[in-house]
Every structure is written in structure tokens, then in C-alpha cells.
Amino acid sequence: MSSDMSSNVEREARHKARMQRKKAVIDKSIEAASEERGLFLINTGTGKGKSSAAFGVLARALGHGMQCAVIQFIKNRSDTGEEAFFRTHPDVRWHVMGDGFTWETQDDAKDKATARAAWDQASAYLRDEKIDLLILDEFTYTLKYGWLTLEEVVPVFGERPWMQHVIVTGRAAPDGLIEEADTVTDMSLKKHAYHAGVKAMPGIEW
Amino acid sequence: MSSDMSSNVEREARHKARMQRKKAVIDKSIEAASEERGLFLINTGTGKGKSSAAFGVLARALGHGMQCAVIQFIKNRSDTGEEAFFRTHPDVRWHVMGDGFTWETQDDAKDKATARAAWDQASAYLRDEKIDLLILDEFTYTLKYGWLTLEEVVPVFGERPWMQHVIVTGRAAPDGLIEEADTVTDMSLKKHAYHAGVKAMPGIEW
């Protein structure tokens, strides 16, 4: 056997041994995670992907035959690709309940009433055993602007049906909401095409 | 007019003025972003949501009537919710081309050949004008493990059709790939249900 071949064989054996050890560690940790229940996920941060990731999970849940609902708290446009794609699915209830960004409405009282109506719809789903996955898109802004309070919303999340999953998206999720959540991802921007002068492209941004 | 009412009116006027200034700044920045072209997005980091965000954009693109393709570089299971949901869509080409995690295969030579075959398929799409959106799921690992090199892949991304969008997902995207990308999001973990002993739940994790 040439020394090249022998070092190759040795390298492969070392790789195999290393991967066997890694597998043992991972298998043990998978075994330890045994509880089954509905999860509360938050996608926050200033980067892209907070809502997209929620809609990706929506597709995943629908692939498992789950009943789903989506409430968009800020958005007031109904020409988005995600709405066109999901709205007609028989297992999806899709609600566009916002009235646009604060700098578009310029009317705090109206924004507050709009947020209240959307939360009433959300609360109804948070009591509904038939809903397996509920997405509250851009919900964090209702807390940021003081239209809703942590004190009123947190208990409603906590008392939802045991197996119901909830995903909240939006920047600056407050600590009190993060405490209540199971899985929290912070999406941060490393680079953005927009800053390089590229338009918001259909199919990517909306 | 009571002083309460008057302070309310003043508060609302201030809110409106602040929002008008904000709108002017935002409108100007939207106007400045005028270029239209296909984008190269990377979802990286150690947190959740890298693949989910790509699949959310897939739904969005399909909602705009785009032609899409997905290649899964590591995954070898075909029981995921996302695959069940998207695979039968007439505008999606879905390829599961991995052979599992390195610690499952424990065979570096086989992993390398598998990555090479998946890249051949990706390269074909990266030359195909008909594909509007291409998702290379868990692609970064092919570079991390040295199965493919930056030198061979970067030019292929750079020479793709002008309006084609590409999304790459996976941990530890190398600098050379980030340089080539337009929009890069780092997903980081703030909290994870798994560490609290909750199983990987269908509809959420797969």
C-alpha cells in the first residue's frame, strides 16, 4: 500500500470515528427532548426573513394537514404574493387587518382601534382548539406603539389550547413576550440589496 | 376645551407631524432604489428560520406566478411538511439530493460525490432563463466541508440570468459567498424550545 493510500484510509477512519462520537452526543440530546406541545415562536430583529420564515412554517404545517390562521396587524395591502398563494387554501384563514404603517396613516387613534379589532380576532383563535397554527404577523408593533399592553396579551397566549402553535413576527419584541415564548430568533441584517439601490422586487419582498 | 382635551389634540398633532417627517424620509429612500434585477439572498447563522424563510419566499414567488426550483443539499428525508406541500405544485421543481448529516453518513467520500451531483443540478438551473427563483437549501455545508470550492461556485452565481433570484441557506456562509450576495440575514438563536426538552414538532421543525 502506498503511503498516500494509507493516509487516505487513516483520514477516512478518523472522519468516521469523529462522526460516530458526534452522532452519539446528538442522539442523546434528541432522546432527552421528549415533551410534545404547541410552541410559541417569535421572529424578531431588524433583518429580513421574520415574516417569510413564518410563512415557510405555514407551508410546512399545511403539508402536515394542519388548520391554520394568519392575521396581518400592520399590512393593509392585499396584493402580496403570500396572500395570493395561501388565501385560497381551504385550511387557511387569512386576515389583513392593518391600516398601513404609522407614517402612512398619521392617525394614532385610528391605528389603535385597528390594532384592537385585530387582537379581538387573534384572541378568538387563541381560544379555538381547531386552530393548530396561528401566525400574528407584525404583532410586536401593537405593543411598541402602546395600542395593546403586555398585561392583557400575555395571559391569552399562555391559556391557549395545549397543542396550538403560535408565531409572532415584528421588530423589537419586548422582554415580557420573549419570556412567554419557547423559541426566539433574532434576524439581523448583514447586507441589504435595497441599500445598494435595488427596488423591492415582487416575489422576494412582497 | 378642557386641558385634557387640548393636550390630546396637541399630542395627536405632534404625532401627525412626526409621521409626516418620517414619511418624507422613507419616500425619498424608496425613490432612490430604482434598479430591477434578480437578487442573491443568503440566510445564515445558527438560529432557526433559515430554510423556513426561503420557503416563505417560495410561496410569495409562486403567488406572483414565478417558476421555481429547490435543491436540498443535505436533507435526505422526503417526509417533510414543506416537501408535501410544495412538491406537487406545477411551478416547483423539488430535488432532495442530500444523503443526511455528516454524522449520520460517516462517509466523507460519499458525501462529496453527493454534493457534486447536487451542484451539477444547481448549475443547470443557474444557466436556465426559465427559472425565476432557485433555492439552494443547506448549500453552505458543501463549502464548509470542502466538497465544493468558492472558486468554482462563485462565478456560476455571478453569470446567472439577470432577473433570476437565488436563495442560499445554511450556517457559516463564507465571506467569499457573502461578498457575491445582495441581501444577507443572520439568524441567531435567542431561545429554543428544544433546550427546554420539547421534541422537534411536525409542522414547526419539519
Side-chain angles (χ1 to χ4, degrees), chain B residues 85-161:
Chain B
F85 185 70
F86 285 118
R87 161 142 250 165
T88 54
H89 194 288
D91 298 336
V92 177
R93 297 108 183 119
W94 191 283
H95 304 265
V96 179
M97 297 194 74
D99 50 14
F101 295 111
T102 51
W103 57 88
E104 295 290 351
T105 63
Q106 303 172 7
D107 183 338
D108 198 47
K110 181 169 174 246
D111 289 344
K112 187 167 185 167
T114 301
R116 176 69 44 194
W119 175 244
D120 287 345
Q121 178 64 69
S123 307
Y125 285 132
L126 285 163
R127 285 188 300 264
D128 186 347
E129 297 266 356
K130 292 190 300 295
I131 298 299
D132 301 307
L133 171 65
L134 173 62
I135 294 176
L136 305 183
D137 191 34
E138 300 181 321
F139 175 73
T140 59
Y141 304 104
T142 64
L143 300 167
K144 181 181 170 192
Y145 292 114
W147 301 328
L148 301 171
T149 67
L150 270 177
E151 290 66 31
E152 64 184 319
V153 305
V154 167
V156 183
F157 286 109
E159 290 156 16
R160 73 188 193 281

Side-chain angles (χ1 to χ4, degrees), chain A residues 11-12 15-16 19-20 22-23 26-27 29-30 32-39 41 44 47-49 51-57 59-64 66 75 79-82 84-86 89 102-109 111 133 145 163 165 167 178-194 196-199 201-206, chain B residues 11-12 15-16 19-20 22-23 26-27 29-30 32-39 41 44 47-49 51-57 59-64 66 75 79-82 84-86 89 102-109 111 133 145 163 165 167 178-194 196-199 201-206:
Chain A
R11 202 183 68 83
E12 278 167 25
H15 174 82
K16 193 174 165 73
M19 291 300 127
Q20 281 173 338
K22 186 163 182 175
K23 180 171 164 57
I26 289 170
D27 285 352
S29 122
I30 289 173
S34 57
E35 195 188 353
E36 295 193 20
R37 61 178 166 83
L39 296 174
L41 279 69
T44 191
K48 302 301 301 174
S51 297
S52 308
F55 298 136
V57 172
R60 187 171 277 165
L62 291 169
H64 285 283
M66 294 180 170
K75 198 154 281 153
D79 60 346
T80 61
E82 55 271 31
F85 185 71
F86 286 118
H89 195 287
T102 51
W103 57 87
E104 295 289 350
T105 64
Q106 302 173 8
D107 183 339
D108 198 47
D111 289 343
L133 170 67
Y145 292 113
M163 290 302 291
H165 303 296
I167 309 179
I178 286 174
E179 269 167 43
E180 180 68 20
D182 298 294
T183 297
V184 180
T185 307
D186 184 87
M187 273 82 167
S188 70
L189 200 63
K190 290 187 79 155
K191 198 173 178 180
H192 199 311
Y194 182 72
V198 183
K199 274 179 84 163
M201 299 296 293
I204 296 291
E205 296 280 345
W206 53 278
Chain B
R11 202 184 67 83
E12 279 167 25
H15 173 82
K16 194 174 165 72
M19 290 300 126
Q20 281 172 337
K22 186 163 182 176
K23 179 170 162 57
I26 288 169
D27 285 352
S29 120
I30 289 174
S34 58
E35 194 189 354
E36 295 192 20
R37 60 176 167 83
L39 295 174
L41 280 69
T44 192
K48 301 301 301 175
S51 298
S52 306
F55 298 136
V57 172
R60 187 170 277 165
L62 291 170
H64 285 283
M66 293 180 171
K75 198 155 281 154
D79 61 347
T80 61
E82 56 271 30
F85 185 70
F86 285 118
H89 194 288
T102 51
W103 57 88
E104 295 290 351
T105 63
Q106 303 172 7
D107 183 338
D108 198 47
D111 289 344
L133 171 65
Y145 292 114
M163 290 303 291
H165 303 297
I167 309 179
I178 287 174
E179 270 167 42
E180 180 68 20
D182 298 294
T183 297
V184 180
T185 307
D186 185 88
M187 274 80 168
S188 71
L189 201 64
K190 291 187 78 155
K191 198 170 176 181
H192 199 310
Y194 182 72
V198 183
K199 272 178 84 160
M201 300 295 292
I204 295 290
E205 297 279 346
W206 54 276

